[in-house]
Amino acid sequence: NASLPGILQHPDGTVLKQLQPPPRGPREQEFYNKVYDSECCDSILLELREYLPKYFGVWSPPTAPNDTYLKLEDVTCKFNKPCIMDVKIGQKSYDPYASAEKIQQQVSKYPLMEEIGFLVLGMRVYHVSSDSYETQNQHYGRSLTKETVKDGISKFFHNGYCLRKDAIAASIRKIEKILEWFEGQKQLNFYASSLLFVYEGSCQATTVRLSDVTLAEKRGVPKGLLSGGDILEYNNNIHVINSTENGKIEASVSKGLSKFYALHKKAYSKRHHSQLSLKVENLEQDNVWKSSTCITQEHLNGNVIPQLEKVFCHMPAEIKESANVEVRMIDFAHVFPSNTKDEGYIYGLKNLITVLQNILDN
């Protein structure tokens, strides 16, 4: 929907979400202000912060002081090849104050919302074999039926070689935490709000830091390998967004999927590293790294692509456990005070967990 405001990337590593027209924009801003109020001592809201992007107030470009943007954490910035999915949660994607026309419009977009409790709004999956991204927009999500929704979502966790069960399991655990929060609160109801899923698509960015000797021992890595605690270190290949003079932003608005938090090309991150270098001191590389879960760029270039399947599908359990996954709640233009549990959102979360568990079990 081209009328949706764009997501821009600020040179400081945050993202800027343009405030929607009233009442939606001010309502979303008010929601963030309430949750992130420095005076806040409500334990429900304090815990909620764990499940949102961090909020840094509002921002306006010097050239257009009347344009207001929410300044938010870029949840994708710690990933090398972020795989991203945006899933709208709840049985109703219209709020209690919606007009009859709005209700009709929302229901006709996806009549199954009531029954399924969620809708895939878009996804972007990194395929290791082709070193490219596959993107699906909201039409893909709306084409999913009760029968195909499981396969439709499993597509997000498939990298072209195998199913990333580690990322699915980690996602389920994160959703369960959010579900617990919803089961314990009766002050807010969320409509047309989304969960943003992000996992690491690149094998060379296995972000396990082997500073834990016991982890290394479990994996049979000789103690001598742990030079100063870190075996793996990143090369500092920093990519910075083009910024015009005065630090003004060259807007990189992602058209069509602007609502989708991070479909814009990943342009900036202090921690954006395109390659992993392996620091091995005084050891024969051969015997130590054959069993490694990381493959260096040089090896990739040496055409060891078939090895990738092993990397993903047979990772040691300890590494699977620590799969680098984020699940955050986003989009709060329709959040309302309440005195009841948000049963529609809870229904959607439970259904989504069931679908993910089915993908994992089969």
Side-chain angles (χ1 to χ4, degrees):
N1 184 345
S3 68
L4 284 165
I7 296 287
L8 311 185
Q9 212 153 14
H10 194 284
D12 66 7
T14 58
V15 292
L16 300 167
K17 178 182 181 180
Q18 189 166 21
L19 218 58
Q20 297 174 65
R24 291 170 300 163
R27 200 186 291 130
E28 182 163 37
Q29 185 182 347
E30 190 186 334
F31 169 80
Y32 275 113
N33 285 339
K34 181 178 175 175
V35 175
Y36 283 93
D37 186 346
S38 58
E39 309 284 295
C40 175
C41 52
D42 178 339
S43 61
I44 298 277
L45 297 184
L46 291 174
E47 189 195 333
L48 178 59
R49 291 178 185 179
E50 294 174 37
Y51 312 123
L52 311 184
K54 290 188 187 72
Y55 172 62
F56 303 101
V58 292
W59 181 89
S60 296
T63 47
N66 294 330
D67 290 355
T68 307
Y69 293 82
L70 299 170
K71 205 164 189 290
L72 301 165
E73 170 190 9
D74 180 357
V75 178
T76 69
C77 79
K78 68 179 180 185
F79 296 89
N80 183 17
K81 299 286 185 188
C83 298
I84 303 161
M85 177 169 66
D86 183 344
V87 183
K88 189 189 282 191
I89 306 289
Q91 289 177 280
K92 297 182 168 72
S93 55
Y94 52 89
D95 67 45
Y97 304 96
S99 64
E101 294 80 19
K102 180 69 177 174
I103 293 172
Q104 183 49 46
Q105 177 214 9
Q106 286 298 320
V107 171
S108 63
K109 273 186 182 175
Y110 195 59
L112 279 174
M113 196 76 182
E114 191 84 30
E115 209 173 334
I116 293 180
F118 61 85
L119 166 63
V120 176
L121 291 179
M123 66 173 71
R124 179 173 182 256
V125 187
Y126 178 67
H127 282 188
V128 181
S129 43
S130 56
D131 185 26
S132 63
Y133 283 97
E134 182 185 347
T135 301
Q136 302 290 348
N137 64 17
Q138 49 194 316
H139 300 293
Y140 171 81
R142 287 196 213 127
S143 72
L144 299 177
T145 63
K146 277 181 296 182
E147 292 70 39
T148 61
V149 71
K150 183 183 140 193
D151 289 340
I153 285 188
S154 70
K155 193 182 186 75
F156 174 61
F157 293 100
H158 207 287
N159 64 17
Y161 281 110
C162 68
L163 193 62
R164 286 289 304 277
K165 291 196 167 191
D166 58 322
I168 300 172
S171 297
I172 291 171
R173 288 194 297 274
K174 302 249 178 185
I175 302 170
E176 282 170 343
K177 291 284 293 174
I178 294 171
L179 176 58
E180 272 176 43
W181 181 85
F182 271 92
E183 293 282 18
Q185 70 92 20
K186 289 183 172 180
Q187 53 176 289
L188 292 170
N189 281 5
F190 294 74
Y191 301 90
S193 185
S194 287
L195 285 184
L196 184 77
F197 291 78
V198 191
Y199 72 88
E200 181 55 72
S202 158
C203 69
Q204 58 197 52
T206 307
T207 49
V208 178
R209 294 174 66 79
L210 299 175
S211 47
D212 180 357
V213 179
T214 55
L215 171 59
E217 281 172 348
K218 275 186 204 156
R219 293 188 52 231
V221 178
K223 268 190 195 167
L225 239 181
L226 293 160
S227 51
D230 285 340
I231 300 180
L232 309 180
E233 66 171 5
Y234 291 116
N235 286 348
N236 255 343
N237 300 335
I238 299 175
H239 303 285
V240 184
I241 195 170
N242 302 330
S243 54
T244 52
E245 71 292 353
N246 303 335
K248 283 191 229 109
I249 296 202
E250 211 134 48
S252 55
V253 183
S254 71
K255 295 185 181 66
L257 279 157
S258 46
K259 179 157 183 271
F260 195 177
Y261 203 65
L263 276 189
H264 51 282
K265 190 170 184 301
K266 177 130 208 38
Y268 174 91
S269 160
K270 284 205 175 72
R271 290 162 292 179
H272 179 78
H273 310 296
S274 63
Q275 182 187 346
L276 190 67
S277 65
L278 301 174
K279 188 161 91 186
V280 183
E281 292 177 9
N282 320 328
L283 274 147
E284 308 97 273
Q285 236 163 312
D286 284 358
N287 52 23
V288 177
W289 288 105
K290 265 185 187 137
S291 61
S292 164
T293 49
C294 287
I295 291 184
T296 59
Q297 192 68 47
E298 295 77 74
H299 283 154
L300 278 179
N301 296 346
N303 211 3
V304 191
I305 295 273
Q307 301 286 333
L308 292 175
E309 188 166 356
K310 290 184 195 144
V311 169
F312 282 114
C313 305
H314 310 293
M315 279 186 185
E318 297 91 336
I319 285 179
K320 283 186 179 161
E321 277 308 297
S322 63
N324 199 353
V325 172
E326 287 285 357
V327 178
R328 303 286 186 95
M329 297 166 62
I330 58 169
D331 293 340
F332 306 112
H334 304 275
V335 179
F336 294 90
S338 165
N339 49 18
T340 61
K341 276 194 201 180
D342 190 340
E343 295 298 352
Y345 201 106
I346 288 171
Y347 175 88
L349 289 179
K350 286 181 172 172
N351 241 7
L352 184 54
I353 290 170
T354 302
V355 170
L356 290 171
Q357 197 62 55
N358 283 340
I359 296 170
L360 205 52
D361 294 343
N362 299 341

